[in-house]
Amino acid sequence: MTLMTGEQYIESIRALNMQVYMFGKKVESPVDDPILRPSLNSVRMTYDLAQMPEHEDLMTAVDPDTGTRLNRFNHIHRNTGDLIKKVKMQRLLGQKTAACFQRCVGMDAFNAMYSTTFEIDKKYGTSYFGNFKKFMAYCQGKDLTVDGAMTDPKGDRSLAPHAQDDPDMFLHVVEQRPDGIVVRGAKAHQTGALNSHEIIIMPTQTMAEADKDYAVSFAVPIDTAGIFMIIGRQSCDTRKLEGSDMDVGNPEFGGVEALVVFDNVFVPKDRIFMNGEWDFSNMLVERFAGYHRQSYGGCKVGVGDVLIGAAALAADYNGAAKASHVKDKLIEMTHLNETLYCCGIACSAEGAPTQSGNYIIDLLLANVCKQNVTRFPYEIVRLAEDIAGGIMVTAPSQKDLNDAKLGPYVKKYLRGVAGVSTENRLRILRLIENMALGTAAVGYRTESMHGAGSPQAQRIMISRQGNLPRKKELAKAIAHIKE
Ligand code: SF4
Ligand code: FE
């Protein structure tokens, strides 16, 4: 059995010598930090659920090459059934955490690297596929969490990587050595880096020949010398320092993003998966982004399930549940959420094998999936706020609720229906607040817009994949047009 328990996972992260900074200070023990811990708990859930027999089918998969049962996050998709189970697993985890559970970026990088390194080797006779498979087997054997990092800071967006006045705006090779390479640069708003054992680096966009040094991919342990992280702020993050489980809305789980700096990091030769093959950067970006756009048809749907449930409870608790407009709003939220799920399932069911044998989603449908994710969660949040009422942002704190003098007044005036405590009513409102505009809004709202690529990136892919010439032919045939 190669699967780690949740507790073993936590201790394995604790053992790493990561360089993490927040509020201008080094965080000596990220695992125990009250602001960061909820994000670790979310990843832990990917281990805990994999231990449960009732979730084994979704959370794990048997590797056909070795016969070993792996956590699905470290599995290579072998058929469309695997692609569908991936989305179902992500919905389940979204339901259990109501946050970003981070581990998907590694799974998506695994599958994109697997097929792309195979095709690079085929063209150039390189040995990247072997390098990658060796690295993958190492991670699978230890049930590691692997981060997948693509997004560079990019500096002046009108300039190519090599044309930037600061050459480090895109991560690049600064030295080629007989035993490896030295790289410098950064990956921005990087999900889950501090909760991962290893990090896979990929180029952020299609590179031209002049950007050869920027067409680089590799994997290193997250505590490699020269790597450090600067944690990104989340709205209301310091509420976690107040010790109130009610006021944070979601006391146990969260997500995390960081600016990850690579300050002259050495990468040994056998950990390199691309080194100058600029003509494959496009393939790698399209595939990784495609898989991650599929992912959003699972994770965001699971979080949406929690938000819809919370909105319905808020209505129950204040006596509005029977109002026809409230019922209709819940129907609309469900309709939008399930539409996203349809997209996640559809791009998976229409998946196809790559040359390497692993399966890739239908890229057009995956991009349509993510394009819808840039819109529907916003409408779902709007409806949740509508049902919740203004009290979700004006309610007093848990300290007031528990105060000897103020508590009775808070309880008396902020109650809803008989039989539901004011505390429970406030808890559900704080949860909605958390997902709509608190710490989880990073994962549910703004990440829905920009995670896995901003909306325009999907529109470019939709235009490439939409096959307008064929649609014109169809119209001509129907209209009996002969040219
Ligand atoms: Fe996974 Fe969703 Fe977080 Fe991406 S945003 S890492 S798909 S939970
Ligand atoms: Fe994401």
Side-chain angles (χ1 to χ4, degrees):
M1 192 69 157
T2 56
L3 299 178
M4 267 201 271
T5 64
E7 204 45 52
Q8 288 168 333
Y9 160 69
I10 301 281
E11 291 315 307
S12 69
I13 293 291
R14 189 191 295 283
L16 298 173
N17 181 28
M18 275 184 281
Q19 309 300 310
V20 180
Y21 294 84
M22 185 167 59
F23 302 130
K25 287 196 198 102
K26 181 149 189 264
V27 184
E28 292 305 337
S29 179
V31 168
D32 302 308
D33 186 274
I35 288 189
L36 302 175
R37 179 62 187 233
S39 69
L40 185 71
N41 293 340
S42 297
V43 183
R44 180 197 169 132
M45 192 54 93
T46 70
Y47 289 89
D48 284 338
L49 291 182
Q51 299 281 335
M52 299 178 187
E54 65 269 36
H55 297 306
E56 184 185 82
D57 185 50
L58 286 188
M59 294 301 308
T60 68
V62 174
D63 182 71
D65 296 338
T66 60
T68 320
R69 187 169 287 282
L70 306 171
N71 191 298
R72 189 173 294 282
F73 282 96
N74 284 347
H75 179 58
I76 293 295
H77 314 303
R78 309 288 178 162
N79 48 51
T80 54
D82 275 347
L83 291 169
I84 290 170
K85 281 184 187 171
K86 170 195 162 183
V87 171
K88 291 187 175 184
M89 169 181 76
Q90 289 168 314
R91 184 172 189 170
L92 173 70
L93 276 154
Q95 293 169 342
K96 298 285 188 190
T97 60
C100 167
F101 37 89
Q102 307 145 56
R103 205 174 169 186
C104 329
V105 278
M107 167 174 55
D108 293 339
F110 261 26
N111 277 278
M113 294 303 318
Y114 189 87
S115 60
T116 305
T117 51
F118 181 90
E119 290 182 46
I120 301 176
D121 283 6
K122 209 172 134 194
K123 179 167 178 190
Y124 289 111
T126 41
S127 49
Y128 299 133
F129 188 57
N131 286 355
F132 177 71
K133 281 206 301 186
K134 186 175 148 208
F135 165 70
M136 187 178 71
Y138 166 76
C139 298
Q140 289 171 336
K142 291 184 171 295
D143 196 15
L144 300 181
T145 288
V146 180
D147 205 26
M150 184 162 269
T151 308
D152 288 298
K154 299 194 199 74
D156 181 341
R157 271 61 172 172
S158 70
L159 299 174
H162 72 276
Q164 300 279 332
D165 57 9
D166 182 339
D168 300 338
M169 289 302 100
F170 292 74
L171 192 141
H172 61 125
V173 180
V174 291
E175 191 189 344
Q176 299 278 357
R177 290 177 19 182
D179 54 346
I181 53 176
V182 178
V183 298
R184 188 163 63 229
K187 291 291 175 182
H189 29 85
Q190 182 53 40
T191 291
L194 77 156
N195 299 323
S196 304
H197 305 91
E198 296 273 342
I199 185 166
I200 297 177
I201 298 301
M202 297 165 281
T204 197
Q205 64 188 39
T206 302
M207 300 290 173
E209 193 165 5
D211 299 319
K212 229 168 170 279
D213 291 342
Y214 297 84
V216 60
S217 178
F218 58 88
V220 282
I222 198 70
D223 56 355
T224 300
I227 297 179
F228 62 95
M229 297 166 234
I230 308 167
I231 299 296
R233 289 217 68 170
Q234 298 175 335
S235 173
C236 309
D237 48 9
T238 48
R239 277 196 199 181
K240 293 186 227 170
L241 301 175
E242 296 168 5
S244 161
D245 71 332
M246 184 182 97
D247 291 358
V248 290
N250 181 348
E252 198 172 340
F253 302 106
V256 69
E257 270 76 27
L259 178 66
V260 184
V261 179
F262 287 71
D263 196 17
N264 297 320
V265 172
F266 174 69
V267 183
K269 219 171 170 182
D270 65 347
R271 285 293 196 100
I272 300 172
F273 313 137
M274 175 188 281
N275 185 8
E277 292 78 10
W278 56 274
D279 48 334
F280 281 91
S281 53
N282 180 51
M283 179 186 289
L284 184 54
V285 171
E286 271 187 14
R287 290 183 180 178
F288 173 75
Y291 283 122
H292 210 58
R293 289 167 194 173
Q294 168 208 27
S295 289
Y296 279 36
C299 78
K300 300 291 178 261
V301 180
V303 179
D305 287 328
V306 179
L307 184 55
I308 294 167
L313 281 171
D316 288 347
Y317 291 175
N318 68 10
K322 290 207 172 71
S324 62
H325 74 95
V326 170
K327 284 188 201 162
D328 192 58
K329 281 165 189 156
L330 291 167
I331 291 168
E332 178 66 7
M333 292 164 83
T334 305
H335 159 72
L336 292 169
N337 204 41
E338 298 299 336
T339 303
L340 299 179
Y341 188 53
C342 293
C343 294
I345 295 294
C347 69
S348 308
E350 288 288 293
T354 64
Q355 288 182 27
S356 68
N358 79 339
Y359 268 63
I360 188 159
I361 59 288
D362 181 286
L363 283 176
L364 174 60
L365 297 186
N367 278 277
V368 169
C369 177
K370 173 67 215 311
Q371 180 79 184
N372 283 333
V373 172
T374 67
R375 300 172 184 172
F376 296 177
Y378 283 81
E379 181 63 9
I380 294 170
V381 162
R382 191 183 76 79
L383 292 167
E385 290 193 25
D386 181 346
I387 293 172
I391 187 75
M392 66 171 257
V393 290
T394 62
S397 69
Q398 189 171 23
K399 280 194 182 115
D400 296 313
L401 181 75
N402 294 335
D403 184 76
K405 180 178 169 210
L406 306 172
Y409 292 98
V410 175
K411 284 176 189 146
K412 173 181 162 74
Y413 288 113
L414 297 186
R415 54 161 279 185
V417 297
V420 173
S421 68
T422 301
E423 178 178 335
N424 283 352
R425 183 171 180 234
L426 294 182
R427 278 186 183 275
I428 215 67
L429 293 166
R430 286 292 181 220
L431 173 59
I432 296 172
E433 182 197 32
N434 174 255
M435 286 187 270
L437 39 86
T439 52
V442 178
Y444 190 64
R445 272 179 60 136
T446 313
E447 193 178 52
S448 286
M449 180 69 77
H450 294 293
S454 306
Q456 188 57 21
Q458 290 113 56
R459 297 187 83 77
I460 290 167
M461 280 301 288
I462 289 169
S463 82
R464 274 190 211 155
Q465 303 273 331
N467 203 349
L468 267 189
R470 172 161 150 71
K471 292 181 172 75
K472 286 184 193 168
E473 288 308 318
L474 293 173
K476 280 190 208 164
I478 296 290
H480 291 192
I481 290 172
K482 291 189 180 59
E483 284 173 342

